[in-house]
Amino acid sequence: MKILFHEAGRTFHLYNDSISYIMTIMKNGHLGQLYFGKRIQDREDFSYFLETCERPMTACIYEDDGAFSLEHLRQEYPVFGSTDYRQPAVEVRQENGSRISDFQYQSHEITEGKPVLEGLPATYAENGQEAETLTVTLADPVTKVQVQLLYTIFAQGGIIARSARFCHMGGQPVYLTRAMSLCMDLPDHDYVWQQLSGCWARECRIRTRSLEPGIQSVGSMRGNSSHEHNPFLVLKRRSTDERQGEAVGFSLIYSGNFRMQAEVDAHDTLRVLAGIDPETFEWKLESGEVFQTPEAVMVYTDQGLNHLSQTFHKLYQRRLARGYWRDRVRPILNNNWEATYFDFTEDRLIEIAAKAKECGVELFVLDDGWFGARSSDTAGLGDWKANTDRLPNGITGLAEKIEALGMKFGLWFEPEMVNKDSDLYRQHPDWILSTPQRGQSQGRHQHVLDFSRKEVVDAIYAQMAEILNNAKVSYIKWDMNRSISECYSTAWPADRQGEIYHRYILGVYSLYERLTAEFPEILFESCASGGGRFDPGMLYYAPQGWVSDNSDAVERLKIQYGTSMCYPVSSMGTHVSVTPNHQVFRCTPLHTRANVAYFGTFGYELDLNKLEPDELWAVREQIAFMKKYREVLQYGTFYRLQSPFEGNEAAWMVVSADQKTALVGWYRILNCVNARYTRLRLQGLNPSYCYKNSISGSCHYGDELMYAGLITSDATAGQVPSEAEGYTDFESRIYVLEVAQP
Ligand code: DGJ
């Protein structure tokens, strides 16, 4: 890994074994983009990459150079209002109403490692050998605003992490009306765009389309990153698939309003922008003030989508997630939400926990309903004190009882919200986000606390810390069940109202930071009605997240498959729940529910007392299985093999780091009669290792399994089976492949 600056061509070359990223200082002082892709050899002068030609009807910067128009140049951080008519990365409004800026090169610095982004989640390097950072400082001569563009290249993988840091060195205040984290101008538009979109209980559907002239975008204006669109985007070549081909992934480490877009211009060049949604953002910079954008991560691969995802998985697992739980296998939990909803007593919880313990569960999680006047979703949020009618011994007493059973205890919070029917709201009605003289829309009967105010965050911290200091809590599920509306804070002046969405998220991050620092061994699981805020920003604080409120195994196949495009298995909260399923009312076999949930953190969302003896027996076996293989499942290399979006069967697999163990999950949605033969061509195995198949008992070399395939046909191929069991709808199998003779 290296970052070089060549004086001759005024070019920067960032490279490692996988990629090269090359830029130049153009004649107007702006940064021009020259190349991002597979590693190429270094040379003194790459400036020939900066193609210019004189085009008719073009506005140009210089009288004597008809070829130098920003409209036709690929740039690193394009401005609004000069000769570029595409969407800019940055826009600054002065007090006189001007919106033009002109950021020119001042200096640059190359440093080992990676700087921390203050107050924001970001990837990190543990030492100077893991990464190197280039900081290029540009300044606008009129406003005297400086922007530092940060580029980190990691030693391993095709990864570039980027962000921008503004510092106002002038006198008059200015307003940032757009400050994107990344602009990537690519020389052609011959890509297929792939996004992860959906809605509540139907998150992360993989959607693709060809890029066309104009702007295509995804984003959120809801205050949370959203169920609707994940802050993740892939551009892949038409011929690229899971196993081969070029692709670039863009991921924004942010949990609030965002935008990711691609603009194809008239000459088929492509501009990608990623950052805070400009529509809902404005930031006032007084003299001397600083604004740091969130970080965006770009990954390039020429080895297909699985490789792209694996690069993100590894980075986010090891150098975004932090702390005690980062590298540890996750406890198998039993959550009471779908078992009881709000209808529980201490005795009932102990009953559920005791049975879970008997089966081998390690952590009991008490979900919503334990505090204040919370007997339904109309009251109580904001009052984080145990409801002693239900829990006579409080959280302290309940936690003691759970610990006495030999399990860890976990607790649900929704720190950012308040019901009007709560003591907190009665004491501080002005602590919610709401616009003067306007109605206050509710969502699930709740309102959003004004986390742009430090005193509000402090008050919630104090309540949570009181619980955590007095009870043995080992896990927190941090929920967030509505988007923001009427976003306005009475604590801030009129000219800072454009800052509130972002300040809100900074408040959320600050509370996470405080709690994770103060209680470092608590495992945090983020949640926002399932995947409403399943994003890299959250992963920095909470190494796992509840992927979806939909716990149906068939639905989960799609949700987890889509989520795996960017996020590692260890980050996905996955539970076995009852049938008929509570979201889609489908009945799937117990083993299929577990076979899907194994590819995640794994747990149960039901009352095990209600299962039949044979089911309980199966649960015990599932838990023992998960304990045996969770290290590989959660930290192995994950491959998507067959997409549930494309057919009746789906499959994925993980392989251990030493390639001696692999687990293949195979799923068939509907049964077929007289079916074709089926095979799965596996990936990631050692071609010369011989693997024993746990289902057939036969041994096969890695090359057979990868190139010829694992045979998955069953007795329904060609005949009606004599025993129906195992040959029904929603069938699935886990093939464990273990090296017989390395
Ligand atoms: C939404 C979450 O996603 C559920 O798992 C559960 O915690 C409920 N909120 C509780 O209100």
Side-chain angles (χ1 to χ4, degrees):
M1 157 200 61
K2 217 160 188 58
I3 299 178
L4 298 175
F5 178 64
H6 295 300
E7 279 291 348
R10 302 224 290 170
T11 50
F12 297 98
H13 187 184
L14 296 74
Y15 64 85
N16 62 19
D17 290 344
S18 312
I19 51 163
S20 283
Y21 192 97
I22 307 173
M23 352 175 229
T24 190
I25 304 163
M26 302 192 296
K27 72 190 246 187
N28 67 339
H30 294 200
L31 275 190
Q33 156 61 216
L34 299 187
Y35 176 77
F36 175 44
K38 196 173 168 76
R39 160 82 190 272
I40 55 179
Q41 286 174 53
D42 186 48
R43 53 188 288 171
E44 276 296 306
D45 191 357
F46 283 110
S47 54
Y48 73 94
F49 275 144
L50 192 79
E51 287 179 276
T52 58
C53 69
E54 211 163 315
R55 294 187 192 274
M57 300 304 293
T58 296
C60 300
I61 305 267
Y62 303 105
E63 188 69 43
D64 60 350
D65 186 354
F68 196 86
S69 168
L70 294 177
E71 184 177 0
H72 303 302
L73 287 165
R74 292 189 293 117
Q75 297 159 68
E76 283 298 310
Y77 210 62
V79 296
F80 169 79
S82 183
T83 60
D84 189 348
Y85 301 97
R86 293 166 291 181
Q87 295 238 327
V90 56
E91 198 172 326
V92 183
R93 196 180 72 240
Q94 294 173 237
E95 291 225 308
N96 67 6
S98 160
R99 293 157 63 207
I100 292 175
S101 44
D102 181 19
F103 285 106
Q104 299 177 13
Y105 173 83
Q106 305 295 305
S107 62
H108 71 267
E109 197 185 0
I110 296 165
T111 45
E112 283 185 351
K114 184 168 188 297
V116 169
L117 305 190
E118 210 183 311
L120 282 167
T123 57
Y124 56 89
E126 288 201 332
N127 57 54
Q129 278 69 59
E130 285 187 359
E132 215 167 273
T133 299
L134 167 69
T135 306
V136 185
T137 302
L138 311 170
D140 177 72
V142 174
T143 57
K144 308 275 187 293
V145 173
Q146 274 191 357
V147 58
Q148 295 186 323
L149 302 181
L150 279 79
Y151 298 83
T152 297
I153 183 162
F154 287 83
Q156 306 291 323
I159 307 162
I160 300 276
R162 291 181 52 179
S163 70
R165 184 172 185 271
F166 291 85
C167 183
H168 189 15
M169 313 297 277
Q172 293 293 309
V174 295
Y175 298 84
L176 288 176
T177 56
R178 173 186 287 248
M180 304 306 275
S181 301
L182 158 157
C183 170
M184 185 70 230
D185 281 356
L186 292 161
D188 70 82
H189 81 306
D190 198 14
Y191 292 95
V192 173
W193 155 295
Q194 183 178 295
Q195 68 194 57
L196 300 176
S197 296
C199 58
W200 173 78
R202 192 153 46 76
E203 295 88 342
C204 283
R205 281 350 196 212
I206 299 174
R207 302 278 178 165
T208 55
R209 62 182 121 140
S210 297
L211 289 178
E212 298 294 341
I215 295 168
Q216 30 264 293
S217 72
V218 288
S220 167
M221 304 205 309
R222 310 176 71 98
N224 51 315
S225 50
S226 87
H227 298 92
E228 282 70 16
H229 302 295
N230 199 273
F232 179 66
L233 164 67
V234 176
L235 299 178
K236 57 175 184 168
R237 295 296 186 187
R238 278 170 220 286
S239 57
T240 296
D241 58 26
E242 290 287 2
R243 291 162 179 261
Q244 59 74 42
E246 270 196 314
V248 191
F250 300 89
S251 167
L252 186 68
I253 304 181
Y254 191 56
S255 310
N257 291 345
F258 74 95
R259 188 182 301 170
M260 302 186 102
Q261 69 178 48
E263 180 172 4
V264 178
D265 72 8
H267 299 96
D268 290 346
T269 57
L270 175 61
R271 170 166 294 171
V272 178
L273 292 173
I276 295 179
D277 171 53
E279 193 79 32
T280 49
F281 168 82
E282 177 174 284
W283 196 276
K284 184 177 183 183
L285 274 184
E286 299 268 12
S287 178
E289 284 184 345
V290 167
F291 179 79
Q292 169 68 57
T293 72
E295 178 167 290
V297 173
M298 298 190 293
V299 170
Y300 168 85
T301 184
D302 62 345
Q303 295 166 56
L305 294 179
N306 266 322
H307 186 254
L308 183 86
S309 300
Q310 287 157 8
T311 308
F312 275 111
H313 295 171
K314 208 164 157 216
L315 178 72
Y316 284 179
Q317 199 166 48
R318 306 285 193 194
R319 293 295 178 266
L320 176 64
R322 302 173 297 168
Y324 182 83
W325 285 100
R326 186 187 73 180
D327 303 331
R328 287 184 155 79
V329 292
R330 306 302 161 70
I332 296 170
L333 65 80
N334 189 175
N335 177 304
N336 77 309
W337 179 241
E338 287 195 14
T340 65
Y341 295 104
F342 291 110
D343 184 16
F344 61 82
T345 58
E346 186 186 89
D347 288 347
R348 177 118 162 69
L349 297 175
I350 296 292
E351 234 171 70
I352 298 173
K355 188 51 102 189
K357 169 66 192 169
E358 233 178 87
C359 295
V361 169
E362 298 157 313
L363 166 72
F364 176 76
V365 178
L366 172 54
D367 209 282
D368 195 353
W370 58 267
F371 50 89
R374 187 83 166 167
S375 52
S376 73
D377 60 14
T378 57
L381 286 174
D383 298 340
W384 301 107
K385 282 197 186 67
N387 177 326
T388 43
D389 291 342
R390 282 167 172 213
L391 304 174
N393 303 297
I395 291 298
T396 311
L398 177 62
E400 271 167 16
K401 290 188 180 180
I402 301 290
E403 285 264 333
L405 289 174
M407 300 170 94
K408 299 287 176 203
F409 175 71
L411 195 58
W412 180 96
F413 285 94
E414 194 174 0
E416 301 150 70
M417 298 291 158
V418 67
N419 288 114
K420 285 198 169 174
D421 186 359
S422 68
D423 292 342
L424 186 77
Y425 182 79
R426 283 182 281 272
Q427 280 157 24
H428 300 286
D430 61 324
W431 275 11
I432 62 172
L433 289 172
S434 78
T435 306
Q437 299 164 314
R438 304 280 169 199
Q440 298 166 341
S441 309
Q442 56 77 35
R444 209 193 186 205
H445 314 287
Q446 64 197 50
H447 295 265
V448 184
L449 284 170
D450 182 356
F451 265 38
S452 75
R453 294 169 69 166
K454 186 164 179 314
E455 69 272 30
V456 177
V457 177
D458 287 348
I460 297 299
Y461 171 81
Q463 286 200 55
M464 292 177 79
E466 172 75 16
I467 296 275
L468 302 178
N469 282 322
N470 291 297
K472 189 123 186 26
V473 176
S474 304
Y475 160 108
I476 287 178
K477 178 174 172 188
W478 178 321
D479 207 346
M480 190 279 199
N481 284 302
R482 66 157 294 190
S483 296
I484 295 174
S485 58
E486 294 92 30
C487 183
Y488 186 99
S489 169
T490 48
W492 294 90
D495 59 359
R496 289 204 177 262
Q497 291 302 321
E499 302 174 13
I500 303 307
Y501 278 113
H502 183 59
R503 287 192 182 277
Y504 174 86
I505 285 295
L506 293 180
V508 172
Y509 290 154
S510 71
L511 182 56
Y512 256 119
E513 188 65 50
R514 261 174 104 174
L515 288 166
T516 49
E518 191 69 25
F519 305 98
E521 289 189 15
I522 293 183
L523 171 61
F524 281 79
E525 175 154 346
S526 74
C527 175
S529 304
R533 209 163 57 183
F534 196 99
D535 58 58
M538 285 292 119
L539 265 186
Y540 182 70
Y541 305 99
Q544 60 190 60
W546 183 225
V547 189
S548 178
D549 275 353
N550 194 334
S551 59
D552 171 68
V554 176
E555 290 293 308
R556 274 296 187 122
L557 275 179
K558 287 188 176 159
I559 295 168
Q560 291 170 218
Y561 197 92
T563 304
S564 79
M565 279 288 160
C566 180
Y567 304 97
V569 170
S570 61
S571 71
M572 294 190 218
T574 52
H575 299 171
V576 173
S577 61
V578 293
T579 53
N581 170 268
H582 288 191
Q583 292 79 42
V584 295
F585 314 108
R586 184 182 283 133
C587 290
T588 53
L590 180 57
H591 67 268
T592 290
R593 282 173 269 154
N595 288 348
V596 176
Y598 290 142
F599 291 82
T601 58
F602 199 75
Y604 292 82
E605 181 106 6
L606 45 76
D607 179 355
L608 291 167
N609 292 296
K610 297 198 168 152
L611 299 195
E612 298 298 328
D614 59 325
E615 293 178 311
L616 268 182
W617 186 248
V619 166
R620 278 191 195 98
E621 288 193 334
Q622 290 168 359
I623 291 171
F625 177 86
M626 187 62 190
K627 285 181 181 166
K628 182 164 179 203
Y629 290 109
R630 62 184 152 181
E631 176 80 43
V632 184
L633 286 159
Q634 292 170 356
Y635 292 96
T637 306
F638 179 84
Y639 294 85
R640 290 175 298 271
L641 299 176
Q642 211 167 344
S643 169
F645 296 99
E646 286 166 14
N648 190 40
E649 289 177 19
W652 50 42
M653 69 184 288
V654 291
V655 185
S656 64
D658 63 6
Q659 295 179 301
K660 289 184 180 165
T661 309
L663 291 101
V664 181
W666 170 87
Y667 312 88
R668 182 180 56 215
I669 316 301
L670 294 180
N671 197 14
C672 318
V673 68
N674 206 0
R676 67 190 180 97
Y677 299 128
T678 53
R679 291 181 183 204
L680 279 176
R681 286 172 60 218
L682 305 186
Q683 293 200 60
L685 302 176
N686 187 313
S688 52
Y689 284 1
C690 193
Y691 295 89
K692 183 162 185 200
N693 178 329
S694 62
I695 294 184
S696 66
S698 55
C699 290
H700 303 277
Y701 284 101
D703 57 2
E704 293 169 56
L705 293 165
M706 291 194 291
Y707 313 143
L710 169 78
I711 293 178
T712 55
S713 318
D714 61 33
T716 57
Q719 61 179 294
V720 179
S722 48
E723 272 185 48
E725 202 190 340
Y727 305 109
T728 68
D729 291 342
F730 320 125
E731 188 47 68
S732 68
R733 293 174 212 137
I734 299 290
Y735 296 87
V736 181
L737 303 170
E738 277 169 309
V739 164
Q741 45 182 75

